[in-house]
Amino acid sequence: MATQRLWNSMAAQGVLHNKVRNLLQITQKRHRVKTKWAATHPKLSATNLALQNFDAMYSMQLGELWPSVRVSLLSERKYGALVNNFSCGDPVTDLQSLGCRDFIASSSTAADPFSPPYSGSHQFDQHIVNEGIGIDLARASISPNVKCLVFPKGDTSRFKPARLDSAGLLTYYLMDAASVLPVLALNVQKEESVLDLCAAPGGKTLALLQTQAVRFIWANDWSGSRMSRLQRTLNSCLPHDLLSEDKLCITSFDGREWHELGENTFDKVLVDVPCTTDRHSLIEEDNNIFSRSRTKEKRNLPLCQTQLLLTGLQAVRKGGEVMYSTCTLSQLQNQCVVEQAISLANQELGITAEIVHLQPFTTLFKDTFHFAPDLNVGAMVLPHLTANFGPIYFCKLRRLS
C-alpha cells in the first residue's frame, strides 16, 4: 500500500509538473511569437500590395478577362512612336522599313465593317446604316496630321531612341500608343483653344499640338517635379516660335482651383487625372501610390478626380467638349467619377453635360487595340499580350449649359 501511494503521489506530481511546464511553454511561445512578429515580420512591398488590391478588385470587375489582363500588366508594355511634325527629319520611312505602321492612317483606309450586303431586315439594316454613318463621321473627325507608328500585333520589337534633327529636335516621341486615343477623340478643330489641365509628363500635350489646329494651348500641372518633365518634353520637340506665350502657356496651379482663374473660356479641355497608374504600380517601387506613406492620397483619388473633372466642365465654354482620361482599370476612378461629376455639376454649378457616344470611334481602332466590351460610360483599352497597350480609359463630355 505504501508503495502504491508513493507511485500515485509521484504520478500526481508528474502530471502537475507537466501542466506547469506546458503552461510555461505556452506563455513563452505566445511571448516569443509576439516578439518575433513585431521584430521580423516582413512588410509587403508597394508592388505586392498593388497586386493584391488589383486581384481582389479586378477579378470581380473584369471576371474571366482578368487573368489575361493581369499577365499583360506584368509584362513589358508596347510603345508607339508619335511623329513630331515640327522636326525637319522624316522618321516614317525608316520606321516602316522595320515593319511599323501608322495605326491612325490605317484606320482611315480600313474597310467599313458596316458596309452592305444587308440582312434583309429593315430595322436591323437601319441600325447598321446608322452605325456606319457614325463611323464615317468619326473617321472624318480624326486629324490627318497626327501620326503614330506601332509594331504589328504579336511583334514585341522595341523602338530605338529617337534621333535629333539638324535643329536639335526629336523626330518622334515614344509613348503608349493608346494614350493618343483621348487626343484624337477630343477632335480639336482649327483655331480652337485647349486647356490641358493635368499635362505632365507632356505626351498628350505634344499630341494635341501635332494636330496643328490649336490656336492656343494652356498646359498645367500642379506637381513641380512633373512640371520639369513637361517642359523637357516640349523643349525637346517644339521650335522656339511655338513656345511663345501667345501660343503656349505652361503653369503649375492646383487644377481643382482653376475656376478662380476663369470659366467658360476654352473650346476643348483635356482632364488626364492622377490615378493609381496600374501598370506603374505593379512594376515600380519608386513613387508608387500603394506605398504606405501615400495611403491617404490613394484613398482620396476619386474625390480629387471628381473635383478636377468639375473644373474642366467649368473651364469649357457652352457647346465645348471635355475629355476625361486615366491609366487605370478601376471602375471607381473611371465611370463612377464621370457620373458623379455630371450629377454634381448639375446640382451645385448649374452646368448640364452629356456623355458623347464613342463606339463609332473605337470601332476604327479595333484592329490595333483591345477594348473593354459592354462599357456603358466611355471606352477603355485593355492590355493584351498581342497588343500590350494601356490600360487607358477615356470618356468625352459635351457641355450643354
Side-chain angles (χ1 to χ4, degrees), residues 39 88 115 140 145 156-157 210 282 293 297 302 344 352 358 397:
C88 57
S115 60
N145 297 321
T156 58
S157 301
Q210 298 304 320
L282 288 175
S293 62
E297 179 186 353
L344 289 174
T352 305
L358 289 175
L397 307 177

Side-chain angles (χ1 to χ4, degrees), residues 172-183:
Y172 58 81
Y173 178 81
L174 293 179
M175 61 189 295
D176 189 324
S179 296
V180 180
L181 295 178
V183 173

